[in-house]
């Protein structure tokens, strides 16, 4: 009986931890803007800010993919917005590869979130995601 109670209690803690982690990630994502790059003093600072953004995107995607419930539209919109911010400073478009597992899991919701971006940005991110998906499915070659 104690084992069952311990399992239920730990499951509840894990559920609350992942929910708060997504909320924390959403707040972090919302805090990023293009001004972060303008405030950077040199290329090294721009690179650090880009890596920080990509790390936040990756942590959010990992948490969202592990979640059993659907990811909120706000989280998807912010992931898309911050990913586009990194494109200008990361020619590899690493954000697309990071987003790929969530894009595949929540494709329709993600495509809806893309509509919240300016058309040019949405098209660029969608193209990059489709390329990353094709490479993931068929290989790079």
């Amino acid at each position: 009986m104690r084992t069952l109670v311990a399992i239920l209690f730990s499951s509840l803690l894990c559920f609350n931890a992942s929910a708060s982690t997504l909320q924390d990630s959403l707040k972090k994502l919302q805090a990023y803007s293009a001004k972060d790059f303008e405030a950077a003093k040199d290329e090294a600072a721009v690179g650090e800010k880009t890596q920080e953004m990509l790390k936040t995107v990756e942590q959010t995607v990992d948490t969202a993919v592990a979640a059993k419930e659907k990811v909120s539209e706000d989280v998807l919109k912010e992931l898309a917005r911050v990913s586009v911010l990194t494109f200008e400073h990361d020619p590899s478009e690493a954000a697309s590869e990071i987003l790929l597992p969530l894009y595949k899991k929540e494709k329709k919701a993600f495509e809806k979130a893309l509509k919240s971006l300016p058309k040019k940005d949405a098209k660029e991110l969608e193209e990059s995601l489709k390329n990353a998906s094709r490479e993931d499915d068929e290989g790079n070659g």
Side-chain angles (χ1 to χ4, degrees):
M1 182 70 176
R2 283 185 179 172
T3 306
L4 181 60
V5 171
I7 291 171
L8 288 174
F9 184 70
S10 64
S11 297
L12 182 61
L13 285 176
C14 290
F15 176 75
N16 286 336
S18 74
S20 68
T21 303
L22 267 181
Q23 288 303 317
D24 292 344
S25 292
L26 177 60
K27 288 176 186 174
K28 280 184 183 179
L29 291 168
Q30 289 171 331
Y32 292 129
S33 73
K35 290 181 183 178
D36 293 332
F37 294 113
E38 294 169 11
K41 296 178 178 141
D42 55 23
E43 285 300 312
V46 169
E48 287 175 19
K49 182 53 76 173
T50 302
Q51 289 304 311
E52 178 186 323
M53 288 180 176
L54 289 171
K55 184 176 180 181
T56 302
V57 168
E58 184 174 25
Q59 290 170 340
T60 306
V61 168
D62 290 346
T63 302
V65 168
K68 292 185 173 144
E69 68 277 352
K70 289 210 176 263
V71 179
S72 77
E73 188 175 334
D74 289 340
V75 170
L76 294 174
K77 284 179 180 180
E78 286 303 309
L79 283 168
R81 185 185 66 79
V82 172
S83 295
V84 167
L85 282 176
T86 68
F87 278 12
E88 186 176 335
H89 306 285
D90 177 25
S92 73
E93 298 181 356
S96 296
E97 291 181 25
I98 294 169
L99 289 173
L100 192 57
L102 185 59
Y103 175 72
K104 287 184 171 186
K105 179 182 176 188
E106 302 278 351
K107 192 169 185 174
K108 285 185 181 182
F110 207 94
E111 287 173 351
K112 184 178 178 186
L114 287 174
K115 293 179 183 177
S116 69
L117 298 172
K119 286 184 181 184
K120 178 183 174 259
D121 293 340
K123 183 178 179 182
E124 183 179 8
L125 180 55
E126 187 174 23
E127 250 179 60
S128 186
L129 283 165
K130 286 181 180 179
N131 288 338
S133 180
R134 187 191 73 252
E135 287 177 11
D136 187 53
D137 293 343
E138 300 171 10
N140 187 10

